[in-house]
Amino acid sequence: MYTRQQVSQTRQRFWASFGQYMRPVKGATGDTINWLNYKTGIRRIYFRMDATAEAASVAIELQHPDPELRRHYWEQLLPLKSMLENRTGEKWDWEPDHKEENGNVIGRIAKTIVPVNILAETDWPFIISFLKPRIIALDQFWSDVKDGFE
């Protein structure tokens, strides 16, 4: 069993390692990207990566508190489903009303792998090899479609 501090330190080490690993990777437009805190340029649309003791995921999250505006963004993304899935080469989970642990409802398009454990350093290469191509593909996808959201 891990203490809360051990879990926090291990997660920090993983994300620092991933950030260093991704640092030389340029974005689709040739710009330097902060991959850990990806800026979509559109308020309330986020690209999120997560890794826990059970799973790892990459997601587009629509976090607008107004359900109508969140639905508007969703309806703009839905016709782009095949484009995203062609870009990544796989099916993603599309949840227009995903309920988070804190009770908030968001739109979420995600790809998740299980079982992986961020606390097991032996899983880190597998987690990184899952996250890297998908966040790069999301950046390429976003580079192509972002103007439709501005």
Side-chain angles (χ1 to χ4, degrees), residues 37-74:
N37 189 21
Y38 189 95
K39 303 287 187 200
T40 65
I42 306 294
R43 193 164 185 234
R44 310 277 188 185
I45 297 179
Y46 302 97
F47 290 178
R48 301 281 194 223
M49 293 181 286
D50 191 25
T52 66
E54 294 85 30
S57 64
V58 177
I60 300 171
E61 294 184 354
L62 310 176
Q63 295 187 357
H64 206 289
D66 180 332
E68 288 184 32
L69 289 174
R70 188 175 63 248
R71 178 69 60 187
H72 174 72
Y73 283 148
W74 184 263

